[in-house]
């Protein structure tokens, strides 16, 4: 008997996790512009310590034991035909392949800066894209970080730690940064930033230069629509959260007015039988938090339920953002809960418990050592 075929569109953080849950039960095809997992997490570490970042976050698909048997197609999705239940993929040689599905998972993510882009890459391209911004920032004596969300805060904190002699300034538009987190989170994090010598500039709304696509680190002075003088620095990192969904390959009927994929509480896409969506591209809730809230398990279970005609379960979003914000620090990994309180994995436990047991074994279901 042939098994149902699930096509995962986009093998980033959530596509990979969804594939990992399904691979033993159905035929899974993963389609990805990247040759490996290139995670969207931990911007600061990626910029400051690209080699260390790559060991954890640029990981060959063949290292994941639970992806054994998953067929990976390296290419760019160009079209979805709902009537035929087929997606079309442009392969690196320019030819096009049709991939039929019984179930399609849309997990193509978003662009929010030069570190997350949807274009086709090989491993060498990924390595080069890690190296160039690191070199530019390492050579800078002063760095502006623009933005008030987790990516900007994470970057400012880690760059200041990596290069204590570099002047790091953080500019954000409101009274406090991290407006989507509980207020306690900013109080804690602002203290850590100040301890590291980061100068904090509230109520500074930067003007994005005309025609600039946030695709690089800039060197010109930054102007502010809020009236303050321009801020000069050798390098300016833009992390202003201007997200752009990777949905140009989808019919417009599936998208909301901002271009994200409409989803029902059970993660199905209305008007598209057999289609689900997850991750940053999916308009599950105002914060689009299904990636960090680990909805991949629910999604995999709902796909199996739909295939066996059982009722689906609902995704419940958090009203506030939560997570690590600062990422891995010398004293361990602090995780902020939605109520703004935090707990910490101590430094000794990162390599002995957190990474081997919680991440590699628990989250990914076992990983091989080689790259
Ligand atoms: C375990 C885990 C822990 C997390 N912890 C935190 C945290 O502490 N704090 C926090 O803020 N967030 C956290 N997050 C969330 C994370 O920062 C992002 O939300 C997550 O990276 C988004 O995943 P995604 O799969 O939606 O997108 P991505 O990982 O960006 O994947 C999308 C993929 O689709 C590909 N693609 C795009 N277009 C096409 C196309 N046309 N054809 C083929 N491929 C295409 C892209 O190149 C990319 O590879 C966590 C996520 C996970 C899974």
């Amino acid at each position: 008997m042939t098994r149902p075929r699930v096509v995962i569109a986009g093998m980033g953080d959530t596509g990979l996790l969804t594939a990992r849950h399904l691979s033993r039960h159905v035929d899974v095809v993963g389609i990805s512009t990247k040759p490996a997992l290139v995670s969207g997490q931990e911007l600061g570490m990626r910029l400051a310590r690209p080699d260390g970042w790559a060991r954890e976050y640029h990981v060959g698909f063949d290292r994941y034991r639970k992806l054994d048997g998953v067929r990976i197609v390296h290419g760019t999705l160009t079209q979805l035909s709902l009537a035929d239940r087929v997606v079309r993929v442009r392969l690196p040689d320019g030819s096009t392949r049709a991939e039929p599905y019984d179930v399609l998972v849309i997990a193509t993510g978003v662009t929010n800066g030069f570190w997350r882009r949807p274009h086709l890459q090989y491993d060498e391209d990924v390595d080069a894209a890690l190296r160039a911004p690191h070199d530019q920032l390492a050579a800078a004596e002063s760095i502006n970080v623009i933005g008030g969300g987790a990516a900007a805060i994470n970057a400012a904190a880690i760059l200041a730690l990596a290069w204590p002699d570099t002047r790091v300034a953080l500019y954000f538009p409101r009274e406090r940064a991290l407006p989507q987190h509980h207020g306690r989170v900013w109080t804690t994090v602002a203290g850590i930033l100040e301890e590291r010598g980061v100068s904090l500039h509230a109520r500074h709304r930067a003007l994005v230069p005309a025609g600039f696509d946030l695709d690089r680190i800039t060197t010109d002075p930054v102007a502010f629509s809020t009236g303050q003088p321009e801020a000069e620095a050798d390098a300016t990192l833009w992390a202003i959260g201007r997200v752009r969904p990777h949905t140009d390959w989808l019919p417009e009927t599936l998208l909301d007015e901002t271009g994200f994929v409409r989803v029902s509480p059970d993660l199905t896409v209305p008007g598209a039988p057999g289609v689900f969506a997850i991750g940053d591209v999916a308009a599950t809730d105002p914060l689009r938090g299904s990636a960090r809230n680990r909805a991949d398990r629910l999604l995999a279970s709902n796909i199996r339920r739909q295939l066996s005609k059982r009722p689906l379960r609902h995704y419940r979003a958090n009203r506030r953002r939560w997570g690590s914000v600062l990422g891995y620090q010398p004293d361990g990994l602090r995780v902020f809960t939605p109520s703004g309180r935090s707990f910490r994995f101590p430094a000794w436990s990162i390599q002995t418990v957190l990474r081997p047991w919680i991440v590699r074994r628990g989250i990914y279901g076992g990983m091989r050592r080689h790259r």
Side-chain angles (χ1 to χ4, degrees):
M1 203 176 77
T2 55
R3 300 204 300 176
R5 177 194 268 215
V6 177
V7 169
I8 313 262
M11 287 287 283
D13 281 324
T14 53
L16 188 149
L17 285 167
T18 306
R20 156 253 191 281
H21 297 303
L22 290 169
S23 58
R24 300 278 189 275
H25 309 284
V26 293
D27 281 349
V28 180
V29 180
I31 299 170
S32 175
T33 45
K34 312 297 175 202
L37 172 70
V38 185
S39 171
Q41 297 179 51
E42 297 273 6
L43 175 62
M45 181 182 178
R46 175 180 166 137
L47 296 169
R49 293 193 292 115
D51 294 334
W53 184 90
R55 275 196 293 281
E56 303 299 328
Y57 296 112
H58 174 201
V59 184
F61 294 126
D62 58 343
R63 283 191 54 199
Y64 296 92
R65 293 183 193 282
K66 289 277 168 84
L67 294 190
D68 291 354
V70 171
R71 181 161 63 83
I72 303 283
V73 179
H74 186 204
T76 307
L77 290 144
T78 54
Q79 202 190 3
L80 161 61
S81 169
L82 290 170
D84 304 328
R85 287 202 177 205
V86 160
V87 292
R88 284 182 215 291
V89 186
R90 190 173 57 245
L91 302 177
D93 66 6
S95 63
T96 299
R97 177 188 291 186
E99 290 287 349
Y101 62 83
D102 297 301
V103 170
L104 173 69
V105 174
I106 300 171
T108 38
V110 300
T111 288
N112 58 351
F114 61 82
W115 55 93
R116 273 177 91 194
R117 299 260 149 179
H119 56 282
L120 189 90
Q121 285 182 313
Y122 289 92
D123 283 321
E124 316 76 90
D125 307 319
V126 177
D127 290 339
L130 290 179
R131 183 62 48 197
H134 166 80
D135 291 348
Q136 189 177 353
L137 292 172
E141 288 178 9
S142 54
I143 299 173
N144 287 334
V145 179
I146 311 293
I153 307 307
N154 176 282
I158 300 212
L159 296 177
L161 188 67
W163 295 302
D165 296 333
T166 304
R167 183 176 63 73
V168 179
L170 176 71
Y171 296 89
F172 48 95
R174 302 187 191 197
E175 190 58 40
R176 71 172 175 97
L178 299 175
Q180 293 167 334
H181 290 71
H182 193 286
R184 284 190 200 108
V185 181
W186 175 237
T187 307
T188 308
V189 168
I192 295 170
L193 289 167
E194 280 172 338
E195 266 170 35
R196 292 185 187 175
V198 177
S199 59
L200 304 180
H201 302 271
R203 298 181 301 278
H204 280 65
R205 185 172 291 278
L207 282 168
V208 182
F212 173 49
D213 192 24
L214 309 178
D215 53 350
R216 64 196 148 82
I217 291 168
T218 55
T219 51
D220 291 334
V222 178
F224 299 97
S225 64
T226 31
Q228 296 89 348
E230 290 187 339
E232 295 202 28
D234 294 338
T236 294
L237 173 69
W238 296 80
I240 56 176
R242 188 183 281 184
V243 294
R244 222 167 47 211
H246 301 151
T247 50
D248 58 352
W249 60 284
L250 292 170
E252 276 185 20
T253 52
L254 304 191
L255 309 181
D256 70 10
E257 59 289 350
T258 52
F260 290 82
V261 181
R262 290 186 290 116
V263 276
S264 306
D266 55 14
L267 303 178
T268 56
V269 176
V275 181
F276 293 76
I278 188 169
D280 290 357
V281 79
T284 43
D285 58 282
L287 298 180
R288 292 188 288 270
S290 65
R292 86 203 59 220
N293 293 325
R294 295 295 318 279
D296 47 281
R297 286 173 294 219
L298 173 78
L299 171 58
S301 153
N302 275 354
I303 288 171
R304 294 180 64 199
R305 283 168 172 269
Q306 188 181 76
L307 289 169
S308 57
K309 304 198 176 359
R310 287 178 291 151
L312 308 193
R313 292 198 293 232
H314 282 189
Y315 165 70
R316 277 186 234 301
N318 276 311
R319 275 192 311 112
R320 287 213 170 92
R321 279 204 198 278
W322 65 282
S324 71
V325 182
L326 297 176
Y328 294 102
Q329 300 291 305
D331 65 350
L333 180 76
R334 189 196 289 258
V335 179
F336 292 96
T337 66
S339 70
R341 306 198 187 281
S342 69
F343 60 91
R344 189 170 58 86
F345 293 93
W348 63 263
S349 70
I350 303 298
Q351 295 301 347
T352 53
V353 181
L354 183 71
R355 281 189 169 135
W357 293 102
I358 299 180
V359 176
R360 294 186 196 124
R361 183 65 65 89
I363 296 181
Y364 291 106
M367 289 175 68
R368 300 184 178 90
R369 282 188 183 279
H370 68 88
R371 186 177 163 191

